[in-house]
Amino acid sequence: MHTIRIDKNASIAASERFLDEISKGPVDLAIAEQLQDAACGGAAAIGQVAFTWARQYPGARFHPILDRGHDLTDLAKRLPGLIAIMMAGRIGDEERDEGIMRREAYAAAREIVTKMDGRDYRGTTKGVGVSLLCADETTKAYLSPFYARAKNRRPILRGEEEFQHLAFQILETSVNQRRFDDVSHLIDDLGVMIRELIDNTDRYARRDMAGNRLRKSVRGLYAQSHLISPERINALAGDYAPLATYLSNIEPR
């Protein structure tokens, strides 16, 4: 079977090309541990590629690409890699037993998601940022930063003040102190926005268009800071022209 190999920079534009390739017929998927985000939204876009691929071809195989000295835990710290591990029907390569690699990949994913649940934010992703992923239909469907445990019922979404505290922690982890001081006035609004995001995914992203519960799904957020001068703001779009146009329009503000 043909394999889509994602081993260079992740970007929104690249994800659209990969999605087009996936639509043409069954393929395996390979994602590199060294995959780098290319501008804003790259990691989430490639994560969507992994999710869509796994949904369309549950019998296809995910091939982790690991450089010398790196392991599956390193891959699980990359958002697309973690999503692929959680969603893929099969995990392995030609050199190793598929069952063993699948168990090792799940163990690596469990380690990272446990850090998310335990609010060890610096340990959730490569580089400077925060990754929080609810893996539905697992024991980590309701991460502690988002949900409070409720006796004899499913966990409930935390309130706005708790999400504002989460926003504070995300910014504290994702930006340096000088930048944190510059953007700290946004914390309350950011907390409300994050709560709305998670509430929407809780309500509407766990079933298909016919209302059937998805056997597997992932949802959450990925936070990363970009230091860039205002006059170069459209560089955040990478090679994705629609986003570049939008950013150019807001440059004067």
Side-chain angles (χ1 to χ4, degrees):
M1 185 183 293
H2 171 60
T3 299
I4 294 177
R5 185 181 176 96
I6 305 178
D7 58 357
K8 296 182 173 63
N9 286 338
S11 71
I12 297 175
S15 74
E16 293 198 332
R17 294 191 292 270
F18 291 132
L19 287 170
D20 182 62
E21 193 169 353
I22 288 169
S23 71
K24 296 176 181 177
V27 290
D28 284 348
L29 181 70
I31 295 178
E33 183 277 327
Q34 290 291 331
L35 185 69
Q36 299 292 323
D37 304 343
C40 183
I46 298 299
Q48 182 64 53
V49 169
F51 182 96
T52 302
W53 163 81
R55 177 72 58 211
Q56 291 190 210
Y57 308 119
R61 185 164 56 179
F62 171 54
H63 302 263
I65 304 174
L66 305 174
D67 282 2
R68 186 185 301 276
H70 294 266
D71 58 23
L72 287 162
T73 299
D74 294 309
L75 178 65
K77 285 186 176 182
R78 302 281 190 195
L79 182 65
L82 179 59
I83 291 175
I85 290 172
M86 300 301 296
M87 294 295 300
R90 299 170 60 197
I91 302 173
D93 56 34
E94 291 75 15
E95 299 179 0
R96 299 187 57 194
D97 179 84
E98 189 171 311
I100 293 175
M101 177 166 276
R102 184 185 183 89
R103 288 193 294 273
E104 290 179 353
Y106 279 173
R110 189 180 307 111
E111 177 184 341
I112 302 305
V113 177
T114 297
K115 289 182 178 180
M116 296 176 182
D117 197 41
R119 304 175 187 243
D120 178 9
Y121 298 120
R122 294 190 186 279
T124 61
T125 190
K126 287 278 190 179
V128 180
V130 176
S131 181
L132 296 171
L133 188 75
C134 294
D136 290 322
E137 309 307 322
T138 75
T139 59
K140 299 299 183 183
Y142 302 97
L143 292 184
S144 174
F146 300 147
Y147 296 91
R149 299 294 172 185
K151 189 174 182 180
N152 300 324
R153 55 181 292 194
R154 59 165 278 186
I156 59 175
L157 196 67
R158 295 187 182 276
E160 283 190 1
E161 287 189 5
E162 292 172 292
F163 269 89
Q164 288 165 344
H165 180 63
L166 173 61
F168 174 91
Q169 293 176 309
I170 288 173
L171 285 177
E172 190 176 46
T173 304
S174 303
V175 302
N176 62 38
Q177 187 60 52
R178 184 179 68 81
R179 293 295 300 152
F180 179 85
D181 292 341
D182 289 342
V183 298
S184 60
H185 66 284
L186 301 173
I187 286 173
D188 287 354
D189 289 342
L190 182 60
V192 173
M193 291 167 61
I194 293 173
R195 188 182 190 278
E196 185 71 10
L197 168 71
I198 301 305
D199 186 32
N200 282 341
T201 63
D202 189 289
R203 293 171 184 266
Y204 307 118
R206 309 172 77 182
R207 297 181 183 274
D208 64 18
M209 294 296 289
N212 301 310
R213 184 79 174 214
L214 296 174
R215 186 179 66 84
K216 284 185 177 181
S217 62
V218 292
R219 54 201 174 78
L221 68 86
Y222 178 70
Q224 184 184 46
S225 63
H226 298 270
L227 182 61
I228 194 163
S229 58
E231 64 273 11
R232 293 190 61 249
I233 190 169
N234 64 358
L236 287 173
D239 53 357
Y240 190 58
L243 182 57
T245 300
Y246 168 77
L247 291 172
S248 295
N249 289 337
I250 68 170
E251 178 186 327
R253 303 203 297 270

